[in-house]
Amino acid sequence: MTNYEYDLVVVGSGNAALSAAVSASEDNLKVLVVEKGPQHKRGGNSFFTDGAIRFAYNDLNGLSKVVDNLSEDDLKAIELPEYTAKDYHGDLMNVTKNKSNPSLAEHLTGKSYETILWMKEQGVQFQLNENQFFEKDGKKAFWGGLPVKTVDKGIGLVKSLFKKAEENGVDFWYASPAEKLEKTDGKITGVYVNSEEHGKVLVKTKSVVLASGGFEADKKKRMEYLGKQWENAIVRGSEYNTGDGISMALEAGAVKAGQYDGCHAHTTDYNSPKTGDYSKPGDIYKKSSYPLGLIVNVEGERFVDEGADFRNYTYAKYGKETLKQTQQKAFQIYDSQVRDMLRVEYNLEEATMLKADTIDELAVKMGVDKENFLETINSYNDAVQDGDYNPSVKDGKGTSGLSPNKTNWALKFNKGPFYAYPVTCGITFTFGAIKVNSNSEVLDENEHPIEGLYAAGEMVGDLFYHNYPGGSGLMSGSVFGKTAGDSVKTYLKSKKQLEV
């Protein structure tokens, strides 16, 4: 029988897992990554992301150190609000209703910029985020603290990290789900793996990083923790994120943490695939330009304030509101005043689009309650207030007397042709996980670290509640993944010194 021994076993193969593996392997540790899915379905949820990543770039100078090949002319053509660690922290605490664990929030926001620079050193490339600016007087006016994304979206991100990990000598086992942790004298000493290639084996190890995602792809767990209405929700990412790592950690003495009835959800095309399509990654089915238009349900009525804030701060919760509607369905509607301003995903062949020359005709094509719909539009148009329309700032151009009002970016819906995009709710990741400290150490019921056990990514509980600032999921994976790898190096060095 073959004996398998490693300094570190990483469970999962997304951004968080790979960041941990790369960080640990920098010290020539012997690292194994075990992935539940086959090789062609590796990369976790990160594979499906648009690549937008939030960090405290501070100012244009800070941004220029991250995005390559920005000329002087390029920089002069950019309008970019400052975004400090304090700003990021404020956004995080605001959207989570101050529920985010202070030490975890501080770690994420305070370490974001240096982690981005570290990612760049590992070969990850960054570019300006084309979905986060509007052209204004010949300049690119950025908004919402999210001006950067990874080159080639999430595919490019994980491709770069896989390449670096392989260069550093990291081993990968695919179709190899981890099933149980071995714990001896209070320390993690192994992982039981059911590998298609290697069989059911115990991999002996001095440390483990759990980074295998939440339970979003497990229908039973969604219904148990989130509610029965989540039974048939579209899973926007990996089909393999079924909460295995959480279960393994709890069995080994970890405790639950975070909002188990909360999740990141997004409005997605009503005809999206039921789970992430590996042949069409890159988050192409989402629909994020709703602040420029209106959202109505099949009754023909509005149900959210589309202009409450930039989409970065509302999209993760508006998906859940869509789930509450009849048929779990809604329509984003736009007129020709804003159609050319919509994000790239609205122009893809995968986008379901209804087009009509009149509002009456649009109602018929949508199949909504026509009388209610026309009343909704007429009431909205009558309620639109005067003001300067500017989608690159919260312009205060709203409505008056409606419930709900539209707070910003309210233009009358009256210029044909008109467009409707049917949407539903897609779940991205769950907020409930396990208790972890800012060293990425997994904690027991006494808040003591379980020796040799770490977690990162979606498995960090007590960080996101109710909502999250767009781009923070990837950043959290990178920060806590790198931190886990760094902590493993420190732990193994101290362990070696004690043995000597």
Side-chain angles (χ1 to χ4, degrees):
M1 180 178 175
T2 305
N3 291 320
Y4 299 103
E5 284 196 41
Y6 286 86
D7 295 311
L8 168 64
V9 175
V10 179
V11 180
S13 69
N15 170 45
L18 294 170
S19 294
V22 169
S23 172
S25 62
E26 289 177 323
D27 271 16
N28 296 316
L29 298 182
K30 190 178 181 185
V31 179
L32 170 67
V33 172
V34 294
E35 162 57 41
K36 186 177 182 179
Q39 185 168 354
H40 71 281
K41 291 186 176 183
R42 67 182 187 175
N45 271 355
S46 307
F47 182 80
F48 293 95
T49 70
D50 187 46
I53 189 164
R54 180 176 296 267
F55 59 95
Y57 56 80
N58 291 307
D59 54 24
L60 197 54
N61 181 55
L63 182 78
S64 67
K65 294 177 181 176
V66 176
V67 179
D68 289 329
N69 303 319
L70 289 177
S71 68
E72 286 296 322
D73 288 341
D74 290 332
L75 293 172
K76 287 177 182 177
I78 292 173
E79 283 187 7
L80 184 72
E82 288 189 359
Y83 197 69
T84 65
K86 184 178 180 182
D87 294 326
Y88 189 177
H89 189 272
D91 281 344
L92 177 61
M93 299 310 292
N94 180 51
V95 300
T96 61
K97 300 180 182 179
N98 289 310
K99 288 286 188 69
S100 184
N101 180 297
S103 64
L104 299 181
E106 186 68 33
H107 189 68
L108 167 59
T109 59
K111 293 289 185 181
S112 63
Y113 187 67
E114 66 181 73
T115 302
I116 285 287
L117 295 180
W118 174 81
M119 293 170 71
K120 186 176 180 181
E121 290 174 2
Q122 309 316 309
V124 178
Q125 294 179 298
F126 299 94
Q127 66 183 49
L128 295 179
N129 187 353
E130 75 280 357
N131 285 318
Q132 290 291 141
F133 67 83
F134 292 105
E135 295 284 353
K136 177 186 174 185
D137 300 327
K139 289 196 171 187
K140 295 176 179 176
F142 282 86
W143 50 272
L146 197 56
V148 170
K149 64 190 297 185
T150 53
V151 170
D152 198 17
K153 304 183 178 183
I155 311 165
L157 167 62
V158 296
K159 184 178 179 180
S160 297
L161 292 176
F162 273 116
K163 182 175 184 291
K164 187 63 177 180
E166 288 161 357
E167 288 174 356
N168 287 1
V170 174
D171 290 338
F172 289 88
W173 289 5
Y174 299 104
S176 300
E179 297 185 332
K180 185 177 181 179
L181 299 172
E182 182 188 65
K183 190 177 176 186
T184 308
D185 297 328
K187 302 175 185 178
I188 298 300
T189 54
V191 185
Y192 290 92
V193 180
N194 187 359
S195 173
E196 188 175 280
E197 179 181 353
H198 305 280
K200 288 190 174 185
V201 296
L202 171 62
V203 180
K204 302 296 289 184
T205 184
K206 302 181 182 77
S207 58
V208 170
V209 173
L210 296 172
S212 53
F215 57 84
E216 56 271 6
D218 187 302
K219 182 181 293 190
K220 289 184 179 179
K221 289 174 183 172
R222 286 201 308 270
M223 294 172 67
E224 177 184 356
Y225 292 113
L226 302 177
K228 291 183 179 179
Q229 71 271 25
W230 291 88
E231 178 180 4
N232 296 314
I234 284 172
V235 177
R236 301 178 64 234
S238 172
E239 64 200 89
Y240 299 106
N241 286 13
T242 53
D244 303 354
I246 296 173
S247 299
M248 290 165 55
L250 295 176
E251 187 180 358
V255 293
K256 291 180 178 178
Q259 186 186 15
Y260 266 77
D261 63 352
C263 66
H264 174 295
H266 199 342
T267 46
T268 190
D269 194 290
Y270 193 74
N271 296 309
S272 297
K274 295 302 181 184
T275 60
D277 184 346
Y278 289 85
S279 69
K280 293 184 177 181
D283 206 5
I284 63 174
Y285 294 98
K286 68 184 174 187
K287 295 290 180 288
S288 297
S289 290
Y290 57 84
L292 302 179
L294 300 173
I295 306 173
V296 299
N297 55 26
V298 297
E299 286 80 23
E301 299 169 347
R302 293 174 58 245
F303 55 94
V304 295
D305 177 356
E306 303 90 346
D309 207 332
F310 291 118
R311 50 80 60 187
N312 298 344
Y313 306 113
T314 59
Y315 74 83
K317 63 180 180 179
Y318 280 5
K320 302 169 198 172
E321 294 302 318
T322 305
L323 191 71
K324 298 174 184 177
Q325 307 307 307
T326 303
Q327 300 177 33
Q328 299 185 334
K329 185 177 187 180
F331 295 86
Q332 294 180 9
I333 60 174
Y334 306 93
D335 74 358
S336 292
Q337 296 177 88
V338 300
R339 176 61 187 84
D340 290 343
M341 300 168 63
L342 303 188
R343 289 163 57 103
V344 173
E345 65 258 23
Y346 291 81
N347 299 317
L348 300 177
E349 63 178 359
E350 289 81 8
T352 306
M353 182 185 75
L354 305 171
K355 182 180 178 181
D357 291 327
T358 67
I359 296 174
D360 286 53
E361 183 186 351
L362 188 69
V364 172
K365 287 190 173 183
M366 292 162 63
V368 300
D369 186 305
K370 184 177 178 180
E371 185 177 342
N372 281 353
F373 179 69
L374 295 178
E375 174 59 28
T376 294
I377 299 302
N378 290 332
S379 297
Y380 167 79
N381 284 340
D382 290 343
V384 171
Q385 302 297 293
D386 293 335
D388 294 328
Y389 177 76
N390 185 351
S392 64
V393 298
K394 288 194 276 188
D395 61 10
K397 180 171 166 48
T399 62
S400 177
L402 298 181
S403 181
N405 274 308
K406 185 174 183 183
T407 305
N408 296 286
W409 312 300
L411 291 174
K412 289 188 176 183
F413 190 85
N414 60 8
K415 185 178 179 181
F418 303 95
Y419 303 84
Y421 296 83
V423 294
T424 187
C425 175
I427 186 168
T428 315
F429 66 89
T430 44
F431 290 162
I434 57 176
K435 186 168 285 255
V436 175
N437 64 19
S438 59
N439 292 321
S440 293
E441 297 171 307
V442 176
L443 305 180
D444 64 17
E445 60 183 355
N446 298 312
E447 300 208 357
H448 295 147
I450 297 174
E451 194 169 332
L453 187 59
Y454 306 84
E458 296 172 16
M459 290 196 57
V460 176
D462 210 20
L463 181 61
F464 300 133
Y465 287 83
H466 307 296
N467 192 7
Y468 91 141
S472 295
L474 273 186
M475 193 72 260
S476 172
S478 302
V479 167
F480 286 95
K482 179 181 183 299
T483 298
D486 291 344
S487 293
V488 166
K489 290 184 287 191
T490 301
Y491 168 64
L492 295 184
K493 284 177 183 176
S494 64
K495 190 177 175 70
K496 192 172 183 179
Q497 290 171 352
L498 288 173
E499 290 173 351
V500 172

